[in-house]
Each structure stands twice: as structure tokens, then as C-alpha cells.
């Protein structure tokens, strides 16, 4: 997080953000009850279960609440540098 952020939605917040660290857990659920039947370890997914390919980190604006990819906040700050 050595890059400045700027909220792409409210376009004013440069200081207040929530960093959301994601750690997905692959599971197989019982279709009737929703109970976890199996929890997969890394590399142990069955052939019908796709691995998670999303972001490891999301950012939420502390002013307006929008949640998005970290790159979106960095790019907005780069295109609107502080004077």
C-alpha cells in the first residue's frame, strides 16, 4: 500500500479507507441443509470445482462506502494528482 488512493466514486476522499483482505475457502455444501460436507485444501479441488481467481485485496472508501479493486483507487489518484 505504498501508492496514494483517491475514491473513484466520491472523488474527494484521499485519506479514509478500509482494506479488505480476502482469504477464500473452497468448500462443498450439502444441497439440502447447506452444511459443509467437505473443505478443500489448496490444490485438492475436484474436477468440477474452479479455484478462486479474484483479488486478494479490496478497498472500501471510508467516506461513501463503495468497494472496489485496489487498482481502481490507485489509477484515480494517478490521473488526479494533488496540486
Amino acid at each position: 500500500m505504498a501508492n496514494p488512493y483517491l475514491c473513484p466514486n466520491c472523488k474527494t476522499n484521499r485519506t479514509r479507507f478500509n482494506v479488505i483482505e480476502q482469504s477464500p475457502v473452497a468448500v462443498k455444501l450439502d444441497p439440502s441443509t447447506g452444511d459443509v460436507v467437505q473443505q478443500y485444501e489448496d490444490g485438492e479441488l475436484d474436477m468440477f470445482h474452479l479455484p478462486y481467481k479474484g483479488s486478494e485485496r479490496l478497498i472500501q472508501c471510508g467516506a461513501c462506502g463503495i468497494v472496489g479493486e485496489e487498482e481502481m483507487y490507485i489509477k484515480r489518484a494517478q490521473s488526479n494528482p494533488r496540486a
Side-chain angles (χ1 to χ4, degrees):
M1 281 188 4
N3 294 303
Y5 292 163
L6 174 59
C7 178
N9 186 55
C10 65
K11 300 174 185 74
T12 57
N13 179 26
R14 292 181 182 267
T15 59
R16 295 176 312 279
F17 299 96
N18 296 310
V19 177
I20 304 164
E21 300 286 340
Q22 300 194 107
S23 56
V25 177
V27 297
K28 183 175 183 178
L29 302 179
D30 180 291
S32 300
T33 64
D35 293 337
V36 174
V37 175
Q38 183 176 3
Q39 183 170 328
Y40 298 101
E41 298 297 324
D42 290 336
E44 292 183 356
L45 298 178
D46 64 30
M47 60 189 269
F48 298 110
H49 197 124
L50 296 174
Y52 179 73
K53 296 186 189 241
S55 298
E56 291 181 17
R57 173 185 287 169
L58 293 175
I59 306 298
Q60 180 182 34
C61 175
C64 73
I66 190 171
V67 176
E69 302 283 333
E70 182 179 35
E71 190 66 24
M72 185 170 64
Y73 289 83
I74 294 170
K75 292 288 185 190
R76 176 59 81 171
Q78 290 171 345
S79 66
N80 295 290
R82 290 197 67 137

